Amino acid sequence: MPAMTLRNTPETTTSRAFLPDLCEARAVLVVVVMAQLVAIVLTLMATYYEPFSFQRLGLTSFFMQWVGLTSAALICALRQRLNRLPLSWAALAVVALVVLNTLLFSVVALLLPTWVDPGPGPVLWHANVVVNVAIAAIVAGVVMRYFYIQEQLRLKGEAELEARIQALQSRIRPHFLFNSMNIISSLIAVAPEAAEQAVEDLARLFRASLREGPAEVPLSQELDLCRRYARIEGLRMGERLRVGWDIQLDPTQVTIPLLTLQPLLENAIYHGIQPRAEGGYVQVRVARDGDMLEVLVTNPLPVTEAAAGASSADPSASQGNRMALDNIRHRLAALYGERASVDARANNNEYRVTLRYPIA
């Protein structure tokens, strides 16, 4: 087995689970099926020496099931401690555990009365203890190799997801930065307090985009970033931009991935309000639906899109919108699984984006 190393830090020992939970019903079923398959293979191998015997199959199955289930029970009981070890040590510990358990049952089988003659074939019931231990070591090593590959794939996926999250969090449109700086410079002489507030809002947005920390934050924090962003854009667009907030729950009691709602508001303003000479109204609604959190952002379609049924949208703008939605969709799927969803559609001259994910 190749060397398996993973830095044993508090973060890795608490977040990863190299060994699966063998106490679950599905895992127990897998162990039973695998043990039975090995028993069948060994019984068929014995037909090289003598005719097929259901008696041999029964004894071999009995032995394999006991070894498999007791090994699974031991691994399940020690799972938390094993997962705190580096991957290589955890794998070796599991292999040693299975080998010792097989050795114990082989010795016990030798001490039992030989009331059944299993024949000369390689059956896991008689005096061939060395064969028993060798087979157990090979099977356990193959299974640990499989778990190791699965762990490496999981770590690779997490690294790619983290890179995607960092890319999304650090994505600030250059035109927004330039416009914000121009607005601040124009306000310094005539409205210094407004300029100071804009600087503070812009600093908060940058701090959030460069933040390295938990993937989820309280909804109240995300809403604060959204209001700051809308306030900065309001300085530029004036009365053309109107934002409504319909928050139907306590935002301090639920969490949301950082910079999930803010890009949706940004897209609504950039694609829905900015192209319209008369501006428009953006509605942000957050509500609870059972054990699910539902976030709805609506904005009017630009006049050209509304008249043409959203078929003449700017390709670059549509592509940017899809990229943001795809990033958010991947983040929600990674954090909340298949129950999370992102739905975006144009309907009745307005564009609606709906996020749904389970509340912890």
Side-chain angles (χ1 to χ4, degrees), residues 263-282:
L264 296 181
L265 178 62
E266 182 177 354
N267 281 342
I269 296 175
Y270 181 72
H271 298 292
I273 307 302
Q274 181 172 292
R276 298 170 61 95
E278 72 279 13
Y281 181 78
V282 177

Side-chain angles (χ1 to χ4, degrees), residues 77-253:
L78 300 174
R79 177 172 176 262
Q80 292 185 355
R81 294 184 179 181
L82 292 173
N83 278 331
R84 295 191 185 102
L85 299 174
L87 296 185
S88 56
W89 287 103
L92 291 175
V94 170
V95 173
L97 189 75
V98 174
V99 168
L100 291 176
N101 190 48
T102 305
L103 178 62
L104 174 63
F105 275 91
S106 299
V107 173
V108 171
L110 285 177
L111 300 178
L112 292 177
T114 57
W115 49 275
V116 175
D117 182 14
V123 181
L124 290 176
W125 177 260
H126 205 233
N128 209 340
V129 177
V130 176
V131 174
N132 299 354
V133 172
I135 293 177
I138 292 173
V139 172
V142 170
V143 172
M144 286 299 100
R145 173 65 178 175
Y146 170 77
F147 288 156
Y148 169 74
I149 294 176
Q150 289 294 105
E151 177 69 7
Q152 295 304 306
L153 291 175
R154 186 184 71 85
L155 293 176
K156 180 182 178 182
E158 288 184 353
E160 293 176 351
L161 175 63
E162 181 64 23
R164 185 184 293 270
I165 291 175
Q166 291 296 330
L168 177 62
Q169 290 183 351
S170 61
R171 182 186 61 86
I172 294 182
R173 301 183 192 274
H175 77 85
F176 168 71
L177 175 61
F178 298 148
N179 291 337
S180 300
M181 298 304 295
N182 289 332
I183 292 170
I184 293 172
S185 63
S186 64
L187 289 175
I188 291 177
V190 297
E193 294 182 358
E196 182 179 356
Q197 181 64 56
V199 170
E200 181 182 347
D201 293 339
L202 188 61
R204 285 291 185 91
L205 288 170
F206 268 99
R207 189 178 304 139
S209 67
L210 300 176
R211 172 179 173 177
E212 295 182 1
E216 296 175 285
V217 297
L219 177 61
S220 57
Q221 180 175 330
E222 184 75 5
L223 289 173
D224 179 68
L225 290 177
C226 291
R227 290 189 173 97
R228 291 178 182 275
Y229 174 80
R231 193 156 52 211
I232 294 176
E233 290 285 42
L235 293 175
R236 179 174 63 91
M237 304 179 67
E239 295 182 355
R240 293 177 56 219
L241 173 61
R242 301 180 300 279
V243 182
W245 307 92
D246 182 13
I247 313 301
Q248 301 181 11
L249 46 73
D250 184 357
T252 62
Q253 300 300 315

